[in-house]
Amino acid sequence: MELTELCFAGAARQARAVRSGEVTARELVAGHLDRIERLDPQLNAFRLVFAEQALAQAEAADERRARGEDLPLLGVPIAVKEDIAIEGLPTTKGTNAARTPEPADSAIVHRLRTAGAIIIGRTRMPELGLWPYTESGWAGPTRNPWSLTHSPGGSSGGSAAAVAAGLAAAAIGTDGAGSIRIPSAVTGLFGLKPQRGRVSLAPEREMWGGLVVAGPITRTVLDWALVADQIHGAVPGDPHVAHPPRTSFTEAATTDPGRLRIGVSLRPWGPGIGVADEVRDAVQDTAALLTDLGHDVVRLDPPMRDVVASTQFAVRYLHNAHLARQGMQSPDLVERRTRAVAELGRRLPRGLVRWATKDDDALTAYANRIFTSVDVLLTPALTRPPIRVGEWDGRNVVSALLAASHYTSFLQLWNVVGNPAAAVPAGRTSTGLPLAVQLVGRRHDECTLLSVSAQLERARPWADRTPSGLGHAK
C-alpha cells in the first residue's frame, strides 16, 4: 500500500502496518505531516500541529517496536479537539480567551499516549463549541474536504475535516448537541456519541451540565472501536459512570448483531421542522437495507415530549454558554455572537435554570420507553444536507440558534438523556456531498450500535471513498 493510500486507511489498518513493519511510525507520521502542510492551509482543520514532537514520538515508537513491544495504537497519528486538555497548553475551546496552561494531560490524552498513539495536533472548533459549524472571526472557517464551500460541521469540525482529508488516522471529538455526529455526518465518517460516563472527561468533572461526552471520529466502525477500547473508563471523582460494555468494542464491531427489531422515525422533535427529500430517502434506503439484512424494521414515530425536551435543552445550552464565557480567563475577548448567546443565558430566570439543569429521570425514562419495543432507533442524522460556509452569517443570534436547532433536531434529546447514538454514512446527495443516518441504542449499549453499523458498512462500504482534489481521490 502506498503511503498516501495508507493515510486514508484508518487507525486499525495503520496500526497493523506499523506492527508488521510494512511502514515505520516515522514514515507514517511524516506522511501525515506532509499532507497537513500541503492541505491544511485550504481546510483550516488544525489550530496547532505538533510536528517536532510527533516525529520524535514516532521515532521512539519505532525503537519500542524494534525491542518487540506491541501496543494497540503504536505509531498511529491521532488528532485531538481543542477542548481536551494537553499538558503545557491552555485548553482553548475555540477562543483566544483561555490563557492558563494545563498542568497535565487529560485522561483521554494520557490513555491515547499509553496505547502508543502519536498526538499529531489539536483541531479547531467554533468558539466555546456553540455552533454546528466551525468558523470564527479571528480564525476563519474550517472547510469540508468534500466541498471547500461547505462546512465540515461542528463543533468537532476540525477533527472530522482532518480525518476525512487523510491528515490523521482518527480524531477525538466532543458532543454536547450532536458535535461528534454532525461533523461525521457531513464528511462521510463514522462518529458514535458514547453513553454519558463512558469516557472520562477528567480533569473536567463534566462539561455543559452533563450534556457533553467525548469519543472518536473515524473512517470505519472498527477504527472507532479500536480507539474507544483504549480511552473508555471512569476515573475517581467522575460524576457519571457508564455500565461496563458487555464485550470489548472491537469484538462488537466484528460480531454479527443477529436479528434485531429496528424502529424507523422521520418525525422531527419539534414543530414546524422539515426533513429534506434526500435525507428522507437516505433513511428509507437504510431501512430497506436493514430489512434485506434480516432485521425486523418497523415505522415508529413516538411522541418525545418535544416542548419539555427542547426547552430543557435550550435552557441548559444558554445557561452553560454563560458559565463557559464567565469561566474564561479573559471573557471580554470572546466574539460578539458568543457574547450575545452568553447574555441570553445570563438573563434566564433562576427557577427555570434549576428545573432544566436537574437530572430528569422522568424524561430519561420517557425517551427510553421506545426501547421496550425495539432494539435500535433509526432516524435522520440531520434534517438537510451540509450547510455552506458562512450560510447563517447574516442572521441575528436568535435566528441562527433556531436554524441550528432545526438542523440538529434529531440529535439533541440523546445528549439530555445520555443514550449512545451514532452517525452512519448513508450515501451522497445529487451533488456528491455525504449523507448520514442516526442509529440510537439503549442506555449503555454501544455494542449493538457497533455491530449494526459494521453490518451496514460491509453491505455498503464507505471508507474507500476519499475527497477529490485532496490526494488519492475516488
Side-chain angles (χ1 to χ4, degrees):
M1 184 178 287
E2 294 181 357
L3 185 57
T4 298
E5 189 175 2
L6 195 56
C7 287
F8 283 105
R13 177 67 179 86
Q14 289 184 21
R16 291 197 303 272
V18 172
R19 184 175 297 115
S20 68
E22 178 182 346
V23 68
T24 67
R26 194 187 195 288
E27 289 168 341
L28 185 63
V29 169
H32 284 83
L33 289 171
D34 177 68
R35 292 185 61 79
I36 292 170
E37 184 177 6
R38 289 187 292 109
L39 301 175
D40 201 49
Q42 300 174 67
L43 295 173
N44 196 27
F46 284 90
R47 179 158 184 168
L48 289 173
V49 179
F50 307 136
E52 291 185 10
Q53 301 98 310
L55 288 172
Q57 291 165 19
E59 290 172 357
D62 287 328
E63 292 172 0
R64 298 177 76 172
R65 189 181 68 82
R67 294 194 299 268
E69 294 185 42
D70 186 21
L71 294 168
L73 295 172
L74 187 63
V76 176
I78 292 181
V80 176
K81 188 177 176 181
E82 62 173 303
D83 61 350
I84 296 169
I86 296 177
E87 182 180 2
L89 298 172
T91 303
T92 43
K93 301 181 181 180
T95 181
N96 280 327
R99 302 296 174 85
T100 303
E102 296 286 352
D105 286 336
S106 62
I108 293 169
V109 171
H110 172 73
R111 288 168 174 172
L112 286 171
R113 296 193 200 276
T114 299
I118 310 299
I119 308 301
I120 200 168
R122 169 171 263 183
T123 52
R124 291 197 183 278
M125 60 185 285
E127 194 166 58
L128 304 186
L130 294 179
W131 301 102
Y133 54 82
T134 301
E135 304 172 24
S136 66
W138 66 273
T142 298
R143 298 180 183 273
N144 192 324
W146 291 96
S147 167
L148 297 181
T149 60
H150 285 79
S151 173
S155 62
S156 306
S159 292
V163 177
L167 310 186
I172 304 300
T174 53
D175 188 316
S179 292
I180 285 173
R181 290 162 289 165
I182 298 162
S184 299
V186 301
T187 59
L189 301 174
F190 180 73
L192 195 163
K193 176 192 83 69
Q195 168 70 33
R196 179 185 296 141
R198 177 68 66 205
V199 178
S200 177
L201 299 172
E204 303 269 5
R205 275 183 49 79
E206 62 179 8
M207 296 182 184
W208 288 72
L211 291 176
V212 172
V213 298
I217 294 174
T218 59
R219 299 196 66 80
T220 72
V221 178
L222 183 59
D223 291 341
W224 191 97
L226 174 63
V227 176
D229 272 337
Q230 315 315 313
I231 65 172
H232 78 80
V235 302
D238 282 353
H240 308 285
V241 179
H243 298 173
R246 66 173 180 268
T247 69
S248 73
F249 294 137
T250 300
E251 181 177 345
T254 53
T255 301
D256 190 275
R259 182 179 177 88
L260 299 175
R261 186 170 173 84
I262 298 176
V264 183
S265 177
L266 286 159
R267 177 184 174 276
W269 298 331
I273 301 174
V275 177
D277 288 344
E278 288 182 306
V279 170
R280 188 177 296 271
D281 290 345
V283 174
Q284 292 172 338
D285 288 347
T286 302
L289 176 56
L290 288 165
T291 300
D292 291 343
L293 291 169
H295 299 292
D296 181 14
V297 179
V298 296
R299 185 65 184 261
L300 179 68
D301 286 321
M304 283 295 186
R305 289 187 179 174
D306 297 337
V307 173
V308 173
S310 59
T311 300
Q312 188 178 101
F313 172 79
V315 172
R316 283 194 187 190
Y317 168 92
L318 294 172
H319 174 65
N320 281 287
H322 165 61
L323 295 180
R325 185 200 171 198
Q326 290 302 108
M328 294 287 101
Q329 286 83 18
S330 303
D332 292 340
L333 294 182
V334 301
E335 295 189 321
R336 178 179 58 82
R337 180 169 277 193
T338 303
R339 293 198 300 271
V341 175
E343 180 62 16
L344 291 173
R346 188 186 69 81
R347 294 182 179 184
L348 290 170
R350 291 184 179 180
L352 184 62
V353 171
R354 283 195 299 271
W355 166 79
T357 54
K358 67 179 176 63
D359 289 337
D360 193 335
D361 294 336
L363 179 60
T364 300
Y366 188 82
N368 275 277
R369 80 198 187 289
I370 63 171
F371 295 110
T372 62
S373 60
V374 300
D375 300 297
V376 172
L377 178 66
L378 167 66
T379 77
L382 298 163
T383 58
R384 50 160 287 187
I387 64 172
R388 292 184 174 273
V389 169
E391 182 168 332
W392 298 336
D393 282 356
R395 296 174 181 259
N396 64 42
V397 69
V398 173
S399 175
L401 288 171
L402 286 173
S405 179
H406 288 191
Y407 185 43
T408 61
S409 169
F410 289 94
L411 308 181
Q412 302 155 4
L413 173 67
W414 306 112
N415 292 90
V416 175
V417 302
N419 291 51
V424 184
R428 304 277 155 174
T429 69
S430 60
T431 58
L433 295 173
L435 291 169
V437 296
Q438 177 178 233
L439 295 178
V440 185
R442 291 187 175 93
R443 299 184 72 202
H444 309 283
D445 187 16
E446 295 94 337
C447 289
T448 297
L449 295 184
L450 290 168
S451 295
V452 176
S453 298
Q455 187 181 44
L456 287 171
E457 184 181 13
R458 289 191 297 272
R460 59 172 188 210
W462 59 73
D464 58 344
R465 297 192 63 177
T466 58
S468 60
L470 293 175
H472 192 61
K474 291 187 179 180

